[in-house]
Amino acid sequence: MDLILAGVALLMLGAGYWALVGAPNDVTLGASQRIFYVHMGAAVVVAVAFSVAFAASLAYLWRRDQVWDRLAAASVEAGMVFASMLLATGVLWGRVVWGVWWTWDPRLTATLLLWVLFMGYLVIRDAYPDLDRRARIAAVLAIVFYADVPLDYLTVRWFKSLHPVVLTSHGAEMPPVMLLTLLMNALAMLSVWALWVVLRVRVDRSEENLAQVKHQLRWHIRQSIKEDR
Amino acid sequence: MGAIRGWAWLVANELALEMKQRDFGAMMMGLAVLAALVLGMIEPLNPRQGAAVGAGILWMGLVYAGMLMVSHTFQREASGSVQVGLVLAIGRMPLLLSKLAVGVGYLWASQGASGLVWMALTGLDGHGAWGALIATWGLSSLGMALIAELLAAIQVQLPDRQPALWLVFMAAQVPVGLSDAGAVRAIFSGANPGQWIGALMALAVLFSALWWLLGDVIWEV
């Protein structure tokens, strides 16, 4: 695990260097364009994280194995950090380029909607004490909410949006060095997300094991008290 | 035959209960009338403003009244830990279908009534596109009732009331509300609502599939 952590840290350092120093300034937007590497990297992670949660939720309903529920929850939890990062960097970029912190543009609104929905997923999940019911309801919510992910992607194509379109039918609209920096940042963030998910799943499993041990311990203590009497 | 009779009995009872309550339909109608009066007093609305504001008002009415009403029909099922409708109905699907029929019918009628009142008060006309207007209200009622039903079924199984679920309710209905408002605005402005009605149809198909596949999972005991 230490080696993996070191590898992810190195990848993040390399990606950070290229995003802040290595890649050239944009011709029209100057240095402010560098926010884009973090913004787009976070967008890739959000799409992957919610897609994994969707697939894991389907797998849970099919197999009824708690492993899939833990994976879905961990994926959304880590994905929400990147979704918050996506919104925050978007707000900063919008202030520089559009001159406003926020506008009710279809893409921005759809992304905020996505954030609200999956935040609701995490809150509602915690409201169920029963593990099976919680997993079942959470799986339904993740599948229903996932409908907003393609909608978010398509808003800039369907509606009149201020938001730039990066990926077109002709490929990525940017010079190769910028594309490489973007891919490096996306990869680095994806590896951080994946590591986070693995650790979160392990913590969840440990918490459940601990709860079981506590339950058994309570039972033994009660039994021994009865015997003493 | 027995199943159909049971289903019809459920729908009739649900509708009768909703009609007796009257508050949600009255809320939508009141919202349309009040908005027309207040906005008309501040500044007379021109047709373009009227189309945009009307679409927005109807959307708000649809989301709030629909959210409350569908949730309300499911609250009736929660009596302690016993789902009354599940016991009375022949199966889960007749129960879900009855709620859906009530939700769609009620939302459609409320939208239609408040839309007509809005048109009468502001002088807007549908440019002869009555079929498109009826289809828009029907499809949006279906899309919203489907997703609201899934969430309402989840809500009644929660151990405590969760404010977060209400936020999620509203957020999940935005795509339907947005397409509904877009179509109504296009019809009132004399533009082509085809793109918006297409979006409403796509959402209705998507939510129907989810509703069909997931409805039973929510009610598992």
Side-chain angles (χ1 to χ4, degrees):
Chain A
M1 185 51 90
D2 288 347
L3 266 178
I4 296 171
L5 271 172
V8 171
L10 271 175
L11 200 59
M12 278 301 288
L13 277 173
Y17 172 81
W18 275 96
L20 297 172
V21 184
N25 275 347
D26 185 75
V27 180
T28 45
L29 299 174
S32 63
Q33 176 63 14
R34 292 178 191 281
I35 298 171
F36 161 79
Y37 300 118
V38 180
H39 182 71
M40 190 70 189
V44 170
V45 176
V46 169
V48 171
F50 293 161
S51 300
V52 167
F54 172 72
S57 299
L58 283 178
Y60 174 79
L61 292 182
W62 183 38
R63 307 291 298 180
R64 299 300 166 114
D65 189 338
Q66 285 289 333
V67 171
W68 295 113
D69 176 57
R70 277 191 218 116
L71 177 62
S75 187
V76 171
E77 203 174 287
M80 279 304 290
V81 176
F82 289 91
S84 305
M85 199 193 282
L86 177 68
L87 283 171
T89 49
V91 163
L92 292 174
W93 189 84
R95 180 72 182 90
V96 175
V97 179
W98 299 330
V100 287
W101 293 104
W102 183 265
T103 170
W104 293 102
D105 177 80
R107 166 56 71 84
L108 274 68
T109 312
T111 309
L112 181 65
L113 197 66
L114 199 66
W115 189 90
V116 170
L117 287 173
F118 279 94
M119 185 55 87
Y121 166 90
L122 291 176
V123 173
I124 295 163
R125 238 188 102 77
D126 281 347
Y128 287 94
D130 176 64
L131 280 183
D132 285 331
R133 180 172 280 194
R134 182 177 77 179
R136 193 158 41 81
I137 296 298
V140 170
L141 288 176
I143 292 167
V144 173
F145 295 166
Y146 188 73
D148 195 48
V149 174
L151 183 80
D152 194 6
Y153 176 77
L154 291 167
T155 44
V156 283
R157 288 156 182 84
W158 282 357
F159 305 108
K160 285 175 192 160
S161 174
L162 291 168
H163 197 281
V165 181
V166 179
L167 298 172
T168 66
S169 54
H170 307 293
E173 302 271 320
M174 68 184 87
V177 66
M178 286 186 168
L179 181 63
L180 193 68
T181 309
L182 170 64
L183 290 174
M184 238 172 116
N185 273 272
L187 186 68
M189 287 191 197
L190 269 175
S191 54
V192 170
W193 166 81
L195 188 68
W196 201 334
V197 168
V198 170
L199 291 173
R200 192 72 186 91
V201 168
R202 281 187 185 182
V203 169
D204 270 356
R205 203 169 47 204
S206 303
E207 274 179 1
E208 278 167 32
N209 288 342
L210 193 66
Q212 275 182 0
V213 170
K214 278 182 180 172
H215 181 73
Q216 284 170 356
L217 204 61
R218 271 194 215 106
W219 186 83
H220 283 297
I221 291 169
R222 272 193 217 111
Q223 288 299 109
S224 58
I225 290 170
K226 274 182 193 168
E227 282 167 16
D228 287 347
R229 281 175 187 167
Chain B
M1 200 63 194
I4 295 170
R5 202 179 298 131
W7 182 79
W9 181 84
L10 275 172
V11 174
N13 275 282
E14 292 280 6
L15 269 173
L17 279 169
E18 281 308 315
M19 297 310 281
K20 274 178 193 164
Q21 291 222 327
R22 289 190 291 269
D23 44 357
F24 302 127
M27 194 177 95
M28 271 189 82
M29 190 74 78
L31 195 67
V33 173
L34 274 176
L37 289 175
V38 173
L39 290 170
M41 273 191 277
I42 295 168
E43 189 183 358
L45 292 170
N46 64 40
R48 201 178 158 194
Q49 286 169 325
V53 176
I57 296 283
L58 291 176
W59 173 78
M60 280 164 64
L62 175 74
V63 168
Y64 283 101
M67 186 170 72
L68 286 168
M69 193 277 293
V70 177
S71 167
H72 193 247
T73 63
F74 273 86
Q75 284 297 338
R76 279 201 286 275
E77 298 306 319
S79 169
S81 59
V82 180
Q83 307 298 316
V84 178
L86 286 179
V87 178
L88 295 175
I90 290 118
R92 286 176 195 137
M93 215 25 104
L95 173 77
L96 292 171
L97 279 170
S98 74
K99 303 280 179 199
L100 186 65
V102 173
V104 173
Y106 200 83
L107 288 172
W108 201 348
S110 304
Q111 270 198 98
S114 51
L116 290 174
V117 168
W118 180 261
M119 287 164 79
L121 289 171
T122 55
L124 282 169
D125 71 89
H127 298 274
W130 290 107
L133 205 54
I134 290 166
T136 298
W137 287 336
L139 284 167
S140 59
S141 300
L142 178 64
M144 216 200 73
L146 285 163
I147 197 157
E149 186 170 298
L150 280 178
L151 293 174
I154 288 172
Q155 186 196 31
V156 296
Q157 295 190 52
L158 276 168
D160 303 307
R161 287 185 80 83
Q162 287 290 320
L165 199 63
W166 287 99
L167 187 65
V168 166
F169 250 108
M170 285 192 281
Q173 285 158 4
V174 168
V176 178
L178 190 75
S179 308
D180 183 27
V184 171
R185 184 182 180 176
I187 292 165
F188 284 168
S189 314
N192 180 10
Q195 181 197 352
W196 297 106
I197 293 178
L200 280 173
M201 286 171 84
L203 287 166
V205 169
L206 173 72
F207 290 139
S208 297
L210 290 174
W211 179 88
W212 185 258
L213 294 169
L214 302 173
D216 255 10
V217 174
I218 295 172
W219 291 100
E220 260 177 41
V221 284

